[in-house]
Amino acid sequence: MALISSLEKNQINEPAKEVYEKFERETGKVPEWVKVMAHCPEILKEFVDLFGVIMKKGKIDPLLKWKIAYVVSQTLKCPFCLDVSEKMLKKLGADDKIIEEIKSSNIEDEKEKEILDLVKDVTLDGHLDNPKLFEKLKEKFSEDEIVEIVSVMGLFNYINRFNNTLAILPE
Protein backbone atom coordinates (compact mmCIF):
# COMPACT_ATOMS: atom_id res chain seq x y z
CA MET A 1 0.00 0.00 0.00
CA ALA A 2 1.30 3.44 -0.95
CA LEU A 3 2.35 5.91 1.73
CA ILE A 4 -0.44 8.28 0.73
CA SER A 5 -4.00 7.42 -0.23
CA SER A 6 -5.08 6.13 -3.61
CA LEU A 7 -8.02 7.98 -5.06
CA GLU A 8 -10.91 6.09 -6.58
CA LYS A 9 -12.77 7.35 -9.62
CA ASN A 10 -15.61 8.79 -7.53
CA GLN A 11 -13.07 10.96 -5.64
CA ILE A 12 -11.53 12.72 -8.62
CA ASN A 13 -12.31 15.44 -11.14
CA GLU A 14 -11.11 16.28 -14.63
CA PRO A 15 -8.52 15.90 -15.98
CA ALA A 16 -7.81 12.86 -13.77
CA LYS A 17 -11.14 11.23 -14.72
CA GLU A 18 -10.09 11.27 -18.36
CA VAL A 19 -6.84 9.46 -17.44
CA TYR A 20 -8.69 6.85 -15.37
CA GLU A 21 -11.07 6.17 -18.24
CA LYS A 22 -8.18 5.81 -20.68
CA PHE A 23 -6.51 3.18 -18.45
CA GLU A 24 -9.81 1.36 -17.93
CA ARG A 25 -10.37 1.22 -21.70
CA GLU A 26 -6.83 0.19 -22.59
CA THR A 27 -5.86 -2.12 -19.72
CA GLY A 28 -9.04 -2.85 -17.79
CA LYS A 29 -7.72 -1.24 -14.58
CA VAL A 30 -6.20 1.92 -13.17
CA PRO A 31 -2.66 1.41 -11.82
CA GLU A 32 -1.86 2.35 -8.24
CA TRP A 33 0.61 5.08 -9.27
CA VAL A 34 -2.17 6.78 -11.27
CA LYS A 35 -4.49 6.67 -8.25
CA VAL A 36 -1.79 8.28 -6.11
CA MET A 37 -0.68 10.85 -8.69
CA ALA A 38 -4.36 11.83 -9.08
CA HIS A 39 -3.95 14.02 -5.98
CA CYS A 40 -2.48 16.45 -8.53
CA PRO A 41 -4.73 15.95 -11.57
CA GLU A 42 -2.80 18.30 -13.86
CA ILE A 43 0.50 16.56 -13.11
CA LEU A 44 -1.15 13.19 -13.74
CA LYS A 45 -2.59 14.25 -17.09
CA GLU A 46 0.60 15.90 -18.30
CA PHE A 47 2.75 12.98 -17.14
CA VAL A 48 0.54 10.46 -18.95
CA ASP A 49 0.62 12.62 -22.07
CA LEU A 50 4.41 12.94 -21.86
CA PHE A 51 4.70 9.18 -21.32
CA GLY A 52 2.67 8.58 -24.46
CA VAL A 53 4.75 10.95 -26.56
CA ILE A 54 8.09 9.55 -25.37
CA MET A 55 7.19 5.87 -25.53
CA LYS A 56 5.31 5.90 -28.85
CA LYS A 57 7.08 4.58 -31.90
CA GLY A 58 9.72 7.07 -32.91
CA LYS A 59 13.25 6.86 -34.21
CA ILE A 60 14.21 4.48 -31.38
CA ASP A 61 12.71 1.00 -31.46
CA PRO A 62 10.07 0.39 -28.74
CA LEU A 63 11.93 -2.72 -27.54
CA LEU A 64 15.06 -0.65 -26.92
CA LYS A 65 12.99 1.99 -25.11
CA TRP A 66 11.69 -0.69 -22.74
CA LYS A 67 15.22 -2.04 -22.25
CA ILE A 68 16.21 1.47 -21.17
CA ALA A 69 13.19 1.55 -18.84
CA TYR A 70 14.21 -1.80 -17.40
CA VAL A 71 17.81 -0.69 -16.73
CA VAL A 72 16.61 2.49 -14.99
CA SER A 73 14.19 0.42 -12.91
CA GLN A 74 16.82 -2.17 -12.08
CA THR A 75 19.33 0.53 -11.12
CA LEU A 76 16.82 2.34 -8.90
CA LYS A 77 15.38 -0.93 -7.58
CA CYS A 78 11.75 0.00 -8.16
CA PRO A 79 9.66 -3.18 -7.81
CA PHE A 80 6.64 -1.71 -9.59
CA CYS A 81 8.63 -0.35 -12.55
CA LEU A 82 10.69 -3.54 -12.86
CA ASP A 83 7.50 -5.57 -13.01
CA VAL A 84 5.91 -3.34 -15.67
CA SER A 85 9.13 -3.07 -17.71
CA GLU A 86 9.66 -6.83 -17.72
CA LYS A 87 6.05 -7.44 -18.81
CA MET A 88 6.45 -4.91 -21.63
CA LEU A 89 9.75 -6.45 -22.74
CA LYS A 90 8.06 -9.86 -22.96
CA LYS A 91 5.07 -8.36 -24.77
CA LEU A 92 7.50 -6.92 -27.34
CA GLY A 93 9.18 -10.29 -27.85
CA ALA A 94 12.05 -10.35 -25.36
CA ASP A 95 12.57 -13.78 -23.88
CA ASP A 96 14.10 -14.72 -20.51
CA LYS A 97 17.58 -14.89 -22.09
CA ILE A 98 17.39 -11.26 -23.23
CA ILE A 99 16.09 -10.12 -19.85
CA GLU A 100 18.90 -12.01 -18.12
CA GLU A 101 21.45 -10.34 -20.43
CA ILE A 102 20.07 -6.93 -19.43
CA LYS A 103 20.13 -7.84 -15.73
CA SER A 104 23.74 -9.01 -15.91
CA SER A 105 24.87 -6.19 -18.25
CA ASN A 106 26.07 -8.89 -20.61
CA ILE A 107 24.54 -7.41 -23.76
CA GLU A 108 25.75 -8.93 -27.01
CA ASP A 109 24.79 -6.00 -29.24
CA GLU A 110 27.57 -3.43 -28.74
CA LYS A 111 25.37 -0.47 -29.68
CA GLU A 112 22.72 -1.44 -27.12
CA LYS A 113 25.35 -2.18 -24.49
CA GLU A 114 26.76 1.34 -24.86
CA ILE A 115 23.29 2.88 -24.51
CA LEU A 116 22.44 0.79 -21.45
CA ASP A 117 25.84 1.52 -19.86
CA LEU A 118 25.15 5.25 -20.32
CA VAL A 119 21.66 4.83 -18.84
CA LYS A 120 23.07 3.12 -15.77
CA ASP A 121 25.88 5.67 -15.40
CA VAL A 122 23.50 8.64 -15.42
CA THR A 123 20.79 6.94 -13.35
CA LEU A 124 23.19 6.05 -10.54
CA ASP A 125 23.78 9.65 -9.50
CA GLY A 126 21.92 11.91 -11.88
CA HIS A 127 24.79 13.01 -14.08
CA LEU A 128 27.17 11.70 -16.70
CA ASP A 129 30.31 10.39 -14.98
CA ASN A 130 31.84 8.80 -18.06
CA PRO A 131 31.81 11.26 -21.00
CA LYS A 132 33.31 8.56 -23.25
CA LEU A 133 29.97 6.75 -23.11
CA PHE A 134 28.26 9.82 -24.54
CA GLU A 135 30.92 10.25 -27.23
CA LYS A 136 30.31 6.65 -28.35
CA LEU A 137 26.57 7.38 -28.45
CA LYS A 138 27.17 10.43 -30.69
CA GLU A 139 29.12 8.28 -33.13
CA LYS A 140 26.23 5.87 -33.63
CA PHE A 141 23.07 7.95 -33.20
CA SER A 142 21.68 11.19 -34.57
CA GLU A 143 20.96 14.05 -32.21
CA ASP A 144 17.22 13.35 -32.60
CA GLU A 145 17.77 9.76 -31.52
CA ILE A 146 19.92 10.84 -28.57
CA VAL A 147 17.19 13.20 -27.37
CA GLU A 148 14.69 10.33 -27.59
CA ILE A 149 17.02 7.97 -25.67
CA VAL A 150 17.68 10.54 -22.93
CA SER A 151 13.96 11.34 -22.75
CA VAL A 152 13.11 7.67 -22.06
CA MET A 153 15.82 7.61 -19.41
CA GLY A 154 14.50 10.80 -17.77
CA LEU A 155 10.89 9.64 -17.88
CA PHE A 156 11.70 6.39 -16.11
CA ASN A 157 13.97 8.06 -13.59
CA TYR A 158 10.97 10.23 -12.66
CA ILE A 159 8.39 7.45 -12.35
CA ASN A 160 10.81 5.11 -10.55
CA ARG A 161 11.60 7.77 -7.97
CA PHE A 162 7.92 8.66 -7.62
CA ASN A 163 6.95 5.03 -7.03
CA ASN A 164 9.91 4.29 -4.72
CA THR A 165 9.35 7.39 -2.61
CA LEU A 166 5.65 6.69 -2.16
CA ALA A 167 6.11 2.90 -1.77
CA ILE A 168 3.97 1.97 -4.77
CA LEU A 169 4.45 -1.76 -5.28
CA PRO A 170 3.47 -4.19 -8.04
CA GLU A 171 -0.20 -5.12 -8.01
Side-chain angles (χ1 to χ4, degrees):
M1 177 170 217
L3 295 176
I4 63 173
S5 62
S6 299
L7 299 177
E8 296 303 324
K9 194 172 180 180
N10 65 347
Q11 298 175 291
I12 60 169
N13 297 311
E14 292 298 339
K17 242 181 199 141
E18 176 184 323
V19 173
Y20 276 49
E21 289 166 357
K22 179 181 182 206
F23 274 96
E24 289 169 345
R25 269 191 322 275
E26 293 177 5
T27 68
K29 64 178 182 169
V30 179
E32 183 75 9
W33 68 266
V34 170
K35 293 177 178 183
V36 171
M37 198 179 284
H39 284 279
C40 295
E42 294 80 17
I43 292 174
L44 172 62
K45 182 185 182 327
E46 296 301 326
F47 177 79
V48 170
D49 289 348
L50 181 64
F51 191 98
V53 169
I54 291 173
M55 295 306 286
K56 74 178 180 184
K57 188 168 170 83
K59 294 179 186 268
I60 301 301
D61 181 65
L63 181 60
L64 179 55
K65 288 182 179 186
W66 283 100
K67 287 178 180 181
I68 293 168
Y70 189 86
V71 169
V72 170
S73 303
Q74 180 186 30
T75 303
L76 295 176
K77 298 173 178 58
C78 176
F80 184 90
C81 298
L82 272 168
D83 183 60
V84 169
S85 297
E86 188 168 325
K87 285 176 181 168
M88 285 304 298
L89 285 169
K90 288 181 176 179
K91 183 177 179 180
L92 292 169
D95 58 20
D96 290 335
K97 180 181 179 261
I98 290 172
I99 293 169
E100 191 52 45
E101 286 175 0
I102 299 168
K103 285 180 185 177
S104 65
S105 297
N106 190 19
I107 315 294
E108 289 181 20
D109 182 302
E110 191 60 34
K111 202 170 164 180
E112 278 190 13
K113 180 171 180 19
E114 290 171 359
I115 293 169
L116 299 178
D117 285 348
L118 174 86
V119 168
K120 190 168 190 171
D121 178 67
V122 173
T123 299
L124 281 169
D125 59 10
H127 59 81
L128 182 62
D129 293 312
N130 187 346
K132 288 181 183 176
L133 291 172
F134 191 78
E135 290 306 316
K136 287 180 182 179
L137 202 66
K138 285 176 63 177
E139 291 171 9
K140 296 177 176 116
F141 293 94
S142 71
E143 291 182 343
D144 294 357
E145 291 169 320
I146 291 170
V147 168
E148 201 169 319
I149 289 165
V150 172
S151 295
V152 173
M153 182 174 54
L155 179 76
F156 277 89
N157 264 273
Y158 173 84
I159 196 63
N160 272 260
R161 292 171 196 275
F162 181 89
N163 288 337
N164 278 344
T165 301
L166 297 174
I168 297 171
L169 299 171
E171 299 167 9

